[in-house]
Amino acid sequence: MGHIDYAGELNPAQLEAVMTLDGPVLVIAGAGSGKTRTLTYRVANLVERGVHPRNVLLLTFTRKASSEMLERAQNLLDARCGEVSGGTFHSYAHLVLRRHAREAGFTSRFSVLDQSDAESLVEAARDATVPKAQRKGFPRKQTVMAILSKAVNKGVSIPDVLAGEFSHFMGYANILEQIQTRYTALKREQDAMDFDDLLLHTGDLLERNPAAREAVAGRHTHIMVDEYQDTNHLQARILRQLACAHDNVMAVGDDCQSIYAFRGANFENIMRFPEVFPGTKIIRLEENYRSTQPILSVGNALVRQAKRKYAKNLFTRAEGGETPLLVGLDSENSQSDFVVGEIKHLLDSGTPPGEIAVLFRAGYLAFDLEVELARAKLPFVKYGGFKFTESGHVKDFLAFLRVLAYPGDWISWNRLLLMLDKVGPKSALGIFQQIKDAGKGVRGILDVKPKPAFAAGFEAMQKLYAALDPESEGLARTGAAVLEHYLPTLRERHDNWPKREKDLRQVVVMMERYPSLEPFLSDMALDPPSTSVDNGLAEGRHPERLVLSTIHSAKGLEWDAVFVIWALDGRLPSSQSVFRKGDALEEELRLLYVAATRARKKLVFTYPRDVYDHAAGQVLYDPCRFLDGIGRDILARG
């Protein structure tokens, strides 16, 4: 056990944060500036100076993050750092409620519902509220659960949640409020809490019960919170109460990386911290240990455009680096070809595949690139969103087209026929046999006389195939006709159908560049290089594969080379945020900052010109507004 040379191992700003132990402190930690190192050394310093480890509380967003920080602190100092109280807000709230269950209105044996159990209880609340005859078109239990959860985490009403993200369900606002009331009552009856309740009831307990607040807050003399820009309004409430006796709180975060409003994160928490904790000392970590200065200069140029921010200027002591590039291409496919070509050049120059990432605003924007990468035999893994050839609604859509090209494709016919009400596997096989026996290809469907039980749906399918003629009307028109036919089914099967419809419209756009159906279907059937995953990239890297990722999933990670595709006004920022302006547009700027600061050595933005936006009814052709105004000395044009 030896004294740590803090001054020798930390830069001046980090050292100031580590040595400031009392009073409220807000550490604005720019991208790649060593915030984890700062928190780790501060834990060690507190313990080394005699603060009892159990009086120190470290709140992080994952258990893994807190355990890694405390393990590093132990390696720095000694085993005492392992006794520091560390964990997530939810795990900490759970401990508080176990100790003070009766004051919160529960027994000490209350149960915590997992996602599946909570959804089952929501289903029971829905069934008790909505008569069976009125449930057609009503959101499924998973969607109802998501709506109720967002209302709690954001501290807003159900109509507000619907207006922001589920506008197609706005007509059910009153019923959903009734379900919320019933669901809350059912949980009380069963002495149970869901995940959100852990925060909600802890906040209520600390605010309304002075004795409990004094007991809980008295256990900790020093509190640290990581990723403060990602906290929601409940977590900010809890923190304010926990620090009521001393205000010895250090919040660490980056306002410019607040990109999770859709999950309930409240940007105001980090901006209002100095108001909530008067006398706050603000420390800026600006020295970057990740990127070259040219990349940081782009990040700084983006930060300067934010209307509300903590001013910062990222810099590095490392010298050199190439100027980032903004490239406009003639089409989406030209963009894909350009990126594939650049990736091949990087690979030939010795850059490992796992050190190359392509980032995008939403998963569907990578569809065309996925096809080109597969064609070039460049293996990749995709995070955030899905690999489109593996998604149910895309498979449905492609099945309509596959039977046009391959009338004997039983798997596709079976998929189509089972979409119809009152058609089971036996009926589907019988219908397929009739189509095959007719010997007329896909038009054999016109000879089938459907049973009355499913006649309406089947006759609509017959009408579709009587009209489709890809050779004379072109592939994109064929795709559009199939999509219009499929839309009612899509809307009935999926609560998030607006997002899925956007996916399929992107596939129709891709069809425009194919001369006929067979090469299009061949490209769609290319063996997927890897399996898509929905969880975060941080759980595992694949050094032998390129990374395709949404920007949201890429936060906290870094690569040698980063391509940000679809840097097109109307896509990034999204057309919805442009329309809504204000906070929504500011978050899009922060999203671009996060994307840019993932790169260590090479950063390229690309955008296709002349893209028709079906939802907005207009052509998009301008580069991202946040990049367009950056000087060519900072961001070169190609």
Side-chain angles (χ1 to χ4, degrees):
M1 185 176 78
H3 176 72
I4 299 169
D5 179 15
Y6 294 98
E9 298 185 30
L10 301 167
N11 68 38
Q14 291 172 337
L15 182 64
E16 184 181 9
V18 167
M19 291 301 170
T20 306
L21 302 182
D22 298 323
V25 182
L26 178 61
V27 177
I28 301 300
S33 63
K35 70 176 178 65
T36 300
R37 183 178 183 84
T38 302
L39 281 166
T40 300
Y41 274 79
R42 192 169 191 266
V43 167
N45 190 32
L46 283 164
V47 174
E48 190 174 33
R49 287 176 178 248
V51 178
H52 195 287
R54 289 176 190 166
N55 292 144
V56 179
L57 176 62
L58 173 63
L59 294 170
T60 60
F61 264 76
T62 64
R63 291 187 182 185
K64 184 180 177 184
S66 62
S67 63
E68 284 183 355
M69 285 185 207
L70 296 182
E71 187 177 332
R72 288 189 200 178
Q74 286 184 74
N75 292 335
L76 275 175
L77 188 63
D78 55 46
R80 288 176 296 168
C81 294
E83 297 176 42
V84 166
S85 303
T88 65
F89 271 95
H90 288 89
S91 63
Y92 179 75
H94 181 243
L95 289 175
V96 168
L97 290 171
R98 285 290 174 204
R99 289 182 183 130
H100 300 275
R102 294 198 181 279
E103 294 102 310
F106 292 81
T107 73
S108 59
R109 297 174 63 82
F110 71 83
S111 63
V112 179
L113 302 170
D114 63 19
Q115 186 71 13
S116 175
D117 290 340
E119 287 172 359
S120 296
L121 209 56
V122 162
E123 185 176 34
R126 181 202 65 189
D127 292 351
T129 308
V130 186
K132 194 169 185 178
Q134 296 177 21
R135 286 182 208 155
K136 185 173 176 61
F138 195 79
R140 290 163 173 76
K141 62 182 180 182
Q142 293 89 346
T143 306
V144 175
M145 184 79 236
I147 292 167
L148 301 189
S149 179
K150 284 175 186 291
V152 172
N153 280 296
K154 292 188 173 186
V156 298
S157 68
I158 283 176
D160 283 343
V161 173
L162 295 177
E165 299 179 54
F166 302 90
S167 57
H168 49 299
F169 290 132
M170 186 59 86
Y172 296 117
N174 289 338
I175 299 173
L176 287 165
E177 287 177 326
Q178 294 171 36
I179 291 172
Q180 183 183 45
T181 301
R182 182 68 184 136
Y183 175 54
T184 301
L186 286 173
K187 286 185 290 184
R188 284 284 182 182
E189 288 171 18
Q190 297 187 19
D191 196 31
M193 298 184 203
D194 63 25
F195 208 52
D196 300 324
D197 289 330
L198 295 174
L199 298 182
L200 182 65
H201 293 312
T202 298
D204 287 346
L205 172 75
L206 296 177
E207 285 180 353
R208 299 172 186 175
N209 191 313
R213 179 173 63 244
E214 189 176 333
V216 173
R219 293 192 184 98
H220 307 292
T221 59
H222 293 80
I223 303 169
M224 286 173 279
V225 185
D226 190 20
E227 302 283 14
Y228 196 67
Q229 78 280 347
D230 294 334
T231 54
N232 63 31
H233 86 111
L234 291 173
Q235 291 161 327
R237 278 174 61 197
I238 290 170
L239 183 65
R240 176 59 275 184
Q241 298 305 315
L242 287 178
C244 63
H246 50 70
D247 277 7
N248 291 335
V249 179
M250 173 180 279
V252 180
D254 184 358
D255 53 299
C256 289
Q257 295 189 64
S258 179
I259 60 171
Y260 293 126
F262 69 96
R263 289 185 190 167
N266 190 347
F267 176 71
E268 293 299 322
N269 288 351
I270 195 165
M271 298 310 297
R272 293 187 60 241
F273 187 90
E275 298 171 36
V276 175
F277 294 93
T280 291
K281 182 177 191 176
I282 299 176
I283 300 171
R284 291 170 172 80
L285 303 186
E286 298 173 304
E287 183 170 356
N288 181 282
Y289 297 92
R290 173 187 300 159
S291 309
T292 61
Q293 189 59 53
I295 291 170
L296 297 180
S297 295
V298 169
N300 291 333
L302 291 170
V303 169
R304 283 194 290 273
Q305 297 176 53
K307 290 184 173 64
R308 295 185 64 210
K309 60 180 179 289
Y310 290 101
K312 66 175 74 71
N313 186 55
L314 299 177
F315 69 93
T316 179
R317 296 179 195 276
E319 297 180 357
E322 61 183 91
T323 303
L325 186 62
L326 172 63
V327 184
L329 287 311
D330 290 336
S331 66
E332 178 182 19
N333 193 236
S334 298
Q335 174 180 246
S336 299
D337 286 343
F338 172 80
V339 172
V340 169
E342 289 291 297
I343 288 172
K344 284 180 176 177
H345 179 71
L346 284 167
L347 294 172
D348 290 343
S349 302
T351 302
E355 285 299 339
I356 303 171
V358 183
L359 307 182
F360 31 84
R361 174 68 178 80
Y364 74 91
L365 295 173
F367 288 176
D368 191 76
L369 179 62
E370 290 177 49
V371 172
E372 296 305 325
L373 287 171
R375 180 182 283 160
K377 294 184 169 52
L378 294 175
F380 65 90
V381 60
K382 185 179 182 184
Y383 294 93
F386 51 84
K387 185 166 281 105
F388 74 100
T389 52
E390 298 169 358
S391 177
H393 61 293
V394 177
K395 283 184 175 180
D396 287 350
F397 177 80
L398 293 177
F400 282 101
L401 299 170
R402 286 187 63 81
V403 298
L404 272 173
Y406 317 114
D409 183 348
W410 155 240
I411 293 174
S412 293
W413 275 118
N414 188 54
R415 190 176 191 99
L416 296 183
L417 295 168
L418 290 179
M419 288 184 203
L420 302 174
D421 282 341
K422 310 297 182 185
V423 173
K426 187 176 178 182
S427 296
L429 183 58
I431 294 167
F432 171 70
Q433 201 59 52
Q434 290 180 64
I435 294 170
K436 195 175 176 184
D437 291 346
K440 299 178 181 178
V442 72
R443 291 185 178 269
I445 193 174
L446 305 181
D447 291 353
V448 177
K449 187 170 177 58
K451 293 179 180 178
F454 56 82
F458 190 81
E459 286 167 2
M461 192 179 289
Q462 287 178 314
K463 187 177 179 182
L464 172 72
Y465 283 113
L468 289 182
D469 186 359
E471 288 188 17
S472 64
E473 66 184 4
L475 205 52
R477 282 180 177 270
T478 298
V482 167
L483 177 55
E484 292 310 307
H485 172 83
Y486 176 60
L487 276 178
T489 303
L490 179 75
R491 291 170 178 174
E492 188 176 320
R493 286 185 164 198
H494 303 286
D495 286 342
N496 64 340
W497 61 261
K499 179 179 181 300
R500 292 174 187 260
E501 180 181 339
K502 191 180 289 186
D503 296 337
L504 294 178
R505 292 202 183 279
Q506 190 68 21
V507 178
V508 172
V509 169
M510 287 170 58
M511 295 172 75
E512 291 176 357
R513 63 183 170 86
Y514 286 88
S516 61
L517 194 52
E518 284 80 359
F520 168 72
L521 291 172
S522 295
D523 277 357
M524 297 308 104
L526 282 170
D527 202 23
S530 63
T531 309
S532 66
V533 289
D534 291 321
N535 57 350
L537 271 154
E539 294 304 311
R541 297 289 287 268
H542 300 264
E544 75 288 356
R545 290 176 180 169
L546 308 165
V547 173
L548 271 58
S549 174
T550 60
I551 301 170
H552 286 102
S553 293
K555 183 174 172 287
L557 300 166
E558 57 191 72
W559 295 270
D560 281 350
V562 170
F563 297 87
V564 184
I565 61 173
W566 283 95
L568 175 73
D569 224 58
R571 289 293 179 267
L572 180 58
S574 68
S575 54
Q576 294 96 322
S577 65
V578 170
F579 176 74
R580 284 156 60 193
K581 298 181 180 178
D583 292 344
L585 197 55
E586 284 283 288
E587 180 152 323
E588 296 288 302
L589 172 59
R590 298 194 293 268
L591 199 60
L592 193 61
Y593 168 82
V594 168
T597 53
R598 300 309 93 202
R600 295 193 197 102
K601 300 175 182 177
K602 184 181 183 70
L603 175 62
V604 179
F605 301 94
T606 65
Y607 67 98
R609 303 185 186 94
D610 296 327
V611 172
Y612 181 69
D613 185 326
H614 191 276
Q618 63 185 34
V619 175
L620 308 176
Y621 49 82
D622 289 329
C624 168
R625 64 187 62 193
F626 306 130
L627 298 174
D628 203 24
I630 297 177
R632 291 171 182 266
D633 56 326
I634 294 176
L635 182 62
R637 305 313 198 258

